[in-house]
PDB file of all heavy atoms in Angstrom:
ATOM      1  N   ALA A  17     129.198 328.846  17.774  1.00 55.00           N
ATOM      2  CA  ALA A  17     128.832 327.751  16.875  1.00 55.00           C
ATOM      3  C   ALA A  17     129.331 326.412  17.435  1.00 55.00           C
ATOM      4  O   ALA A  17     128.619 325.401  17.410  1.00 55.00           O
ATOM      5  CB  ALA A  17     129.407 327.976  15.491  1.00 55.00           C
ATOM      6  N   LEU A  65     128.349 284.806  28.663  1.00 85.00           N
ATOM      7  CA  LEU A  65     127.829 285.064  27.312  1.00 85.00           C
ATOM      8  C   LEU A  65     128.915 285.065  26.245  1.00 85.00           C
ATOM      9  O   LEU A  65     128.697 284.584  25.139  1.00 85.00           O
ATOM     10  CB  LEU A  65     127.056 286.382  27.264  1.00 85.00           C
ATOM     11  CG  LEU A  65     125.645 286.354  27.858  1.00 85.00           C
ATOM     12  CD1 LEU A  65     125.066 287.744  27.900  1.00 85.00           C
ATOM     13  CD2 LEU A  65     124.746 285.420  27.069  1.00 85.00           C
ATOM     14  N   GLN A  66     130.076 285.606  26.592  1.00 89.00           N
ATOM     15  CA  GLN A  66     131.202 285.588  25.652  1.00 89.00           C
ATOM     16  C   GLN A  66     131.611 284.148  25.318  1.00 89.00           C
ATOM     17  O   GLN A  66     131.864 283.833  24.152  1.00 89.00           O
ATOM     18  CB  GLN A  66     132.426 286.347  26.247  1.00 89.00           C
ATOM     19  CG  GLN A  66     132.241 287.815  26.329  1.00 89.00           C
ATOM     20  CD  GLN A  66     132.200 288.494  24.967  1.00 89.00           C
ATOM     21  OE1 GLN A  66     132.719 287.976  23.970  1.00 89.00           O
ATOM     22  NE2 GLN A  66     131.565 289.648  24.893  1.00 89.00           N
ATOM     23  N   GLU A  75     123.948 281.602  17.607  1.00 88.00           N
ATOM     24  CA  GLU A  75     123.173 282.456  16.694  1.00 88.00           C
ATOM     25  C   GLU A  75     121.709 281.962  16.629  1.00 88.00           C
ATOM     26  O   GLU A  75     120.779 282.770  16.594  1.00 88.00           O
ATOM     27  CB  GLU A  75     123.763 282.500  15.293  1.00 88.00           C
ATOM     28  CG  GLU A  75     122.999 283.418  14.377  1.00 88.00           C
ATOM     29  CD  GLU A  75     123.620 283.563  12.987  1.00 88.00           C
ATOM     30  OE1 GLU A  75     124.831 283.355  12.832  1.00 88.00           O
ATOM     31  OE2 GLU A  75     122.849 283.881  12.064  1.00 88.00           O
ATOM     32  N   LEU A  87     112.554 278.050  21.844  1.00 74.00           N
ATOM     33  CA  LEU A  87     113.991 278.076  22.050  1.00 74.00           C
ATOM     34  C   LEU A  87     114.662 276.781  21.633  1.00 74.00           C
ATOM     35  O   LEU A  87     114.158 275.706  21.944  1.00 74.00           O
ATOM     36  CB  LEU A  87     114.303 278.294  23.535  1.00 74.00           C
ATOM     37  CG  LEU A  87     114.193 279.722  24.036  1.00 74.00           C
ATOM     38  CD1 LEU A  87     114.491 279.739  25.527  1.00 74.00           C
ATOM     39  CD2 LEU A  87     115.154 280.637  23.317  1.00 74.00           C
ATOM     40  N   PRO A  96     122.866 279.278  34.987  1.00 70.00           N
ATOM     41  CA  PRO A  96     122.674 278.620  36.287  1.00 70.00           C
ATOM     42  C   PRO A  96     121.348 277.870  36.315  1.00 70.00           C
ATOM     43  O   PRO A  96     120.313 278.375  35.886  1.00 70.00           O
ATOM     44  CB  PRO A  96     122.641 279.798  37.275  1.00 70.00           C
ATOM     45  CG  PRO A  96     123.197 280.960  36.534  1.00 70.00           C
ATOM     46  CD  PRO A  96     122.968 280.725  35.093  1.00 70.00           C
ATOM     47  N   ASP A  98     119.966 276.638  39.168  1.00 77.00           N
ATOM     48  CA  ASP A  98     119.283 276.843  40.447  1.00 77.00           C
ATOM     49  C   ASP A  98     118.703 278.227  40.606  1.00 77.00           C
ATOM     50  O   ASP A  98     118.356 278.654  41.699  1.00 77.00           O
ATOM     51  CB  ASP A  98     120.250 276.542  41.594  1.00 77.00           C
ATOM     52  CG  ASP A  98     121.463 277.441  41.591  1.00 77.00           C
ATOM     53  OD1 ASP A  98     121.795 278.001  40.518  1.00 77.00           O
ATOM     54  OD2 ASP A  98     122.086 277.609  42.651  1.00 77.00           O
ATOM     55  N   SER A 130     110.994 276.974  41.324  1.00 61.00           N
ATOM     56  CA  SER A 130     109.529 276.978  41.241  1.00 61.00           C
ATOM     57  C   SER A 130     108.975 278.371  40.969  1.00 61.00           C
ATOM     58  O   SER A 130     107.839 278.520  40.540  1.00 61.00           O
ATOM     59  CB  SER A 130     108.933 276.415  42.528  1.00 61.00           C
ATOM     60  OG  SER A 130     109.331 277.193  43.615  1.00 61.00           O
ATOM     61  N   LEU A 132     108.141 281.599  38.984  1.00 69.00           N
ATOM     62  CA  LEU A 132     107.930 281.828  37.548  1.00 69.00           C
ATOM     63  C   LEU A 132     108.503 283.144  37.060  1.00 69.00           C
ATOM     64  O   LEU A 132     108.726 283.326  35.882  1.00 69.00           O
ATOM     65  CB  LEU A 132     106.442 281.770  37.212  1.00 69.00           C
ATOM     66  CG  LEU A 132     105.779 280.403  37.420  1.00 69.00           C
ATOM     67  CD1 LEU A 132     104.281 280.499  37.151  1.00 69.00           C
ATOM     68  CD2 LEU A 132     106.427 279.344  36.558  1.00 69.00           C
ATOM     69  N   ASN A 151     115.789 287.008   5.170  1.00 88.00           N
ATOM     70  CA  ASN A 151     116.115 287.701   3.912  1.00 88.00           C
ATOM     71  C   ASN A 151     117.603 287.794   3.642  1.00 88.00           C
ATOM     72  O   ASN A 151     118.022 288.444   2.698  1.00 88.00           O
ATOM     73  CB  ASN A 151     115.487 289.102   3.892  1.00 88.00           C
ATOM     74  CG  ASN A 151     113.983 289.053   3.998  1.00 88.00           C
ATOM     75  OD1 ASN A 151     113.349 288.171   3.447  1.00 88.00           O
ATOM     76  ND2 ASN A 151     113.431 290.007   4.734  1.00 88.00           N
ATOM     77  N   GLU A 154     121.802 291.042   7.888  1.00 92.00           N
ATOM     78  CA  GLU A 154     122.357 290.939   9.230  1.00 92.00           C
ATOM     79  C   GLU A 154     121.612 291.882  10.157  1.00 92.00           C
ATOM     80  O   GLU A 154     121.430 293.057   9.845  1.00 92.00           O
ATOM     81  CB  GLU A 154     123.858 291.289   9.230  1.00 92.00           C
ATOM     82  CG  GLU A 154     124.511 291.062  10.556  1.00 92.00           C
ATOM     83  CD  GLU A 154     126.003 291.349  10.539  1.00 92.00           C
ATOM     84  OE1 GLU A 154     126.551 291.636   9.480  1.00 92.00           O
ATOM     85  OE2 GLU A 154     126.604 291.287  11.617  1.00 92.00           O
TER      86      GLU A 154
END
Side-chain angles (χ1 to χ4, degrees):
L65 282 174
Q66 289 292 335
E75 183 177 335
L87 282 177
D98 61 337
S130 60
L132 295 176
N151 299 323
E154 185 177 357

